[in-house]
Each structure stands twice: as C-alpha cells, then as structure tokens.
Amino acid sequence: MQVPINEDFMSKTTARAFSNIALVKYWGKRDEEKMLPQNSSVSVTLSDMYATTTVEFSAGLTKHELMLNGESYFSGSSEYSKVESVLKRIKKTASTGLNAKVVSKNNFPTSAGFASSAAGLAALAVAASKAIDLSLSKKELSILARYGSGSASRSVLGGFVKWNRGEKDDGSDSYATEVVSDTYWPEFRILAVSVSNLRKKIKSSDAMRRTVATSPYYTKWPKEAERDVQKIENAIKKRDIKSVGEIAERSAFSMHGLMMTAKPPILYFLPKTIELINVIAQLREKESVNAYVTIDAGPQVKILCLKKDIDYIKEKIAKINDIQKIFESRPGTGPQFLSDHLF
Ligand code: 2P0
C-alpha cells in the first residue's frame, strides 16, 4: 500500500495496551538489531496496568515527535530510538515517507518503577499500523512491537502468552502466541509492589548484554529457560498455582543469579526487595498460602497468587514499612482501540 503525501494528510489513532510480567524470563539477545531473544519466554498480561498511545502521521512533520508521560524525548535517547525503530518498519511496510507524532501515557506513576516499555511499544505498534491504514495480523503486530522492545512482543496479546524464540535469522518465527485467554484462569492475581521510587541504574538491555558477554554460567540459561517454558505452559493449562509459582520464582532468581555473576556484577535487589521475598516465603512455609514472587530488572516485587488469598497477602504487606505502592491485576486482555485521543 502506498500512502499519499499531500500537505493536509493526517491520520490519528489511539490504542491501549497492557503491561505484562514474565513468568519465564527473557534474558539475553542473539540479535540486537532485530531484537531476537536467546530463549523463549512466557508472561501474563496485566488487567490494570496499561499505556495509552496516540499516533498521528502528518505531512507537516520533518521528524518523529515523542512525548511520554508529559515529557518530550528527542533523537539520541533510548526511548526515542525504540519508537523510531517501530515507526521505521511501519513506514517501510506502508511505503510512506510520513513522520508521526506519538503521545503516550501510563495509568501508573513512572516513579513507581515499573517498566512501561512493553505496554507502550505494543500500543505504538497497534496504533501506528492502524493510523497508516495497515491491516496487520497478531503475528505481524507482535514482530513489529518486538523491534521496539522484546517484552512488547508479548503485550499484543491478552491472557497468558508465549514468545517463541524462533530459529530463523530474519526473525520471522520469533513472535508471541496465546497460551490461554484472559478468561481461562480468572482467579489468578498479580500484585505489583513498588518498594522504591529511585530510578534504576542499569537499563535492562545493557544488563542483558553484560550478562550474556561476561557471566560464565550464561551458557546454561537458554536450555533451562526452554524447559521451564514447556513446564509452565502445562501448569498454566492445569491452573496449577503451585507449579506456576515455583517455576516463575526460580526463573526470576536464576536470572538475577546470572546477573550477579556478570563482570562487573549487577544487583537490582534492595533491602526491601529481600524483606518482601522473605515475607512471601514465610507465608508459604508457615501458613501454606500459595504466594510466589517474581522480580524483573529492578527492585520491585511482583507477587503471584490466587484471588482467595489476596486480602490476607495485602494485609501482611501493609505491615512492612515504606512500601510505596501496590497495583493489583488479573490476567488482562489484548490491546484495544480508543476513540479519545491524548492530544
Ligand atoms: C522479561 N525483562 O522477560 C524480561 C525479564 C526484564 C526482566 O524484557 O532490550 O524492555 O527492549 O528487549 O523488553 C525488560 O526488557 O528489553 C524485559 P529490550 P525489555 O520481561
């Protein structure tokens, strides 16, 4: 399709996409430019944490413009280059020279320390392709979002999602598919607990690169992760919280363990992170509550549990000093189009 460039061309679309939490972590790339992972991963999409993104292609723009949570970002920032990378592919597919204005907002404070790139870049892929009148399949959208951020490839779907590593060098088989839909396991809950509002010191892409390049134990990771993916898919289908929780917790700790063996070592945990890990372990060991933790490239803790235990778990967490914020989610849906625009 050829998009005409005339002076008054304008096309605006707004989409919302939901964040996801990896249960089996993606850690390491085999191709930095195409964002191809070393291993497959599995995530759950979050019902209550999302990004809303408006994209407007217009003939009046000499370059892309980006505003995230009220702040402008320019060429040279990592935020801008992620967005640019998705838009570059869209422009190529649509055979257009048009540039876009992108405005994106999260429904949770950026200071809460939860990565929003997955939701934001998935929303960008969905909104931008519609704005330029491309009709893409979920597979194509997942691949497109992947170019912005690896984890964004999983946020173009709802429920429990698998991002298949793929084998091909061109990345055409590295995209996400649904394991089960958002309604399959409605009792599943994710509590995202913010223990610090300090910005993280090392970006996840840099941490990944350093781990792959310098940890002597990294070679074990891809195969282990692939086995975990298979096991967790079965456990999710059986709605088996114990197995899902145990696999997820171990995947997170393995990933952090690898980072600690990088040169120089990477440590994202803070004292509050450890405190929370111990509170959840005690709940499990002493009170037989099915609660498990997972932690991404930062100090925040996500708790995996079931609806019936959520009030009790929240009560326990409330007793810990200096917890910044808690966000509760169930398995969420895939992206949605909105009629309201952000600008
Ligand atoms: C994940 N993380 O599977 C892993 C686990 C964090 C820890 O994907 O470099 O923003 O843009 O592909 O996706 C966060 O990193 O990194 C991430 P890039 P991304 O969710």
Side-chain angles (χ1 to χ4, degrees):
M1 196 204 53
Q2 189 89 32
V3 176
I5 304 183
N6 56 46
E7 270 168 34
D8 30 325
F9 179 87
M10 233 170 63
S11 171
K12 203 176 193 177
T13 304
T14 298
R16 175 169 292 169
F18 298 81
S19 294
N20 72 75
I21 298 287
L23 302 174
V24 174
K25 304 297 186 191
Y26 141 56
W27 201 249
K29 297 181 181 66
R30 65 179 202 278
D31 184 319
E32 295 263 349
E33 195 252 316
K34 297 195 190 81
M35 292 288 214
L36 297 177
Q38 290 274 3
N39 64 282
S40 304
S41 53
V42 170
S43 62
V44 57
T45 303
L46 305 182
S47 63
D48 283 56
M49 294 177 86
Y50 54 80
T52 308
T53 303
T54 299
V55 180
E56 180 182 42
F57 282 95
S58 108
L61 293 172
T62 52
K63 56 180 183 308
H64 301 307
E65 289 179 5
L66 173 63
M67 186 171 273
L68 300 177
N69 299 302
E71 245 185 85
S72 291
Y73 288 82
F74 302 99
S75 181
S77 66
S78 66
E79 289 82 357
Y80 191 94
S81 57
K82 280 168 182 267
V83 167
E84 197 176 30
S85 161
V86 172
L87 292 175
K88 188 174 147 196
R89 286 189 64 82
I90 289 199
K91 285 176 65 165
K92 195 171 163 211
T93 313
S95 313
T96 180
L98 291 169
N99 289 316
K101 178 174 176 182
V102 176
V103 176
S104 186
K105 231 173 132 48
N106 304 327
N107 75 325
F108 50 94
T110 36
S111 63
F114 296 110
S116 54
S117 63
L121 288 150
L124 171 71
V126 171
S129 53
K130 174 104 185 296
I132 207 77
D133 212 16
L134 284 175
S135 168
L136 301 183
S137 64
K138 282 185 182 156
K139 169 182 164 179
E140 288 166 323
L141 284 172
S142 177
I143 290 174
L144 183 59
R146 191 195 76 211
Y147 274 86
S149 212
S151 54
S153 69
R154 300 185 306 239
S155 269
V156 303
L157 293 153
F160 290 81
V161 178
K162 174 185 175 182
W163 171 19
N164 189 46
R165 173 195 192 273
E167 296 299 328
K168 295 184 183 164
D169 288 341
D170 68 359
S172 59
D173 57 353
S174 186
Y175 58 93
T177 54
E178 181 186 285
V179 176
V180 295
S181 81
D182 60 306
T183 57
Y184 184 84
W185 195 359
E187 301 83 16
F188 193 85
R189 290 290 180 280
I190 308 97
L191 279 180
V193 185
S194 169
V195 302
S196 165
N197 52 22
L198 298 175
R199 274 185 182 265
K200 68 179 168 198
K201 283 176 274 172
I202 307 172
K203 284 184 191 305
S204 50
S205 48
D206 296 334
M208 268 185 218
R209 195 177 306 117
R210 192 192 298 174
T211 311
V212 177
T214 66
S215 168
Y217 307 104
Y218 186 78
T219 48
K220 293 268 181 207
W221 167 262
K223 260 197 188 143
E224 264 308 299
E226 233 47 69
R227 272 195 282 268
D228 282 346
V229 162
Q230 277 189 7
K231 280 191 234 159
I232 211 163
E233 271 193 281
N234 289 330
I236 290 165
K237 285 176 186 159
K238 287 187 201 147
R239 301 184 184 89
D240 177 352
I241 185 69
K242 186 167 183 286
S243 299
V244 168
E246 283 176 1
I247 297 164
E249 209 173 88
R250 198 169 151 264
S251 176
F253 287 155
S254 303
M255 179 185 80
H256 284 276
L258 285 177
M259 284 192 246
M260 290 178 208
T261 63
K263 278 186 208 142
I266 303 157
L267 182 64
Y268 283 116
F269 292 0
L270 292 175
K272 285 280 156 203
T273 313
I274 310 268
E275 193 175 341
L276 211 46
I277 292 171
N278 285 327
V279 166
I280 297 302
Q282 289 230 332
L283 269 179
R284 224 167 36 226
E285 283 153 26
K286 299 213 168 112
E287 305 186 55
S288 303
V289 177
N290 276 315
Y292 302 84
V293 298
T294 182
I295 300 154
D296 291 304
Q300 324 302 4
V301 177
K302 289 92 181 194
I303 299 165
L304 311 171
C305 59
L306 295 178
K307 185 181 173 207
K308 67 180 174 65
D309 298 318
I310 204 106
D311 290 340
Y312 190 60
I313 294 169
K314 277 196 204 157
E315 207 179 289
K316 288 278 173 186
I317 296 172
K319 292 193 180 130
I320 305 173
N321 290 330
D322 302 327
I323 293 293
Q324 306 289 324
K325 263 200 166 314
I326 304 178
F327 301 88
E328 180 181 337
S329 279
R330 24 172 232 294
T333 64
Q336 303 161 348
F337 288 112
L338 304 183
S339 51
D340 288 342
H341 297 303
L342 291 177
F343 64 95

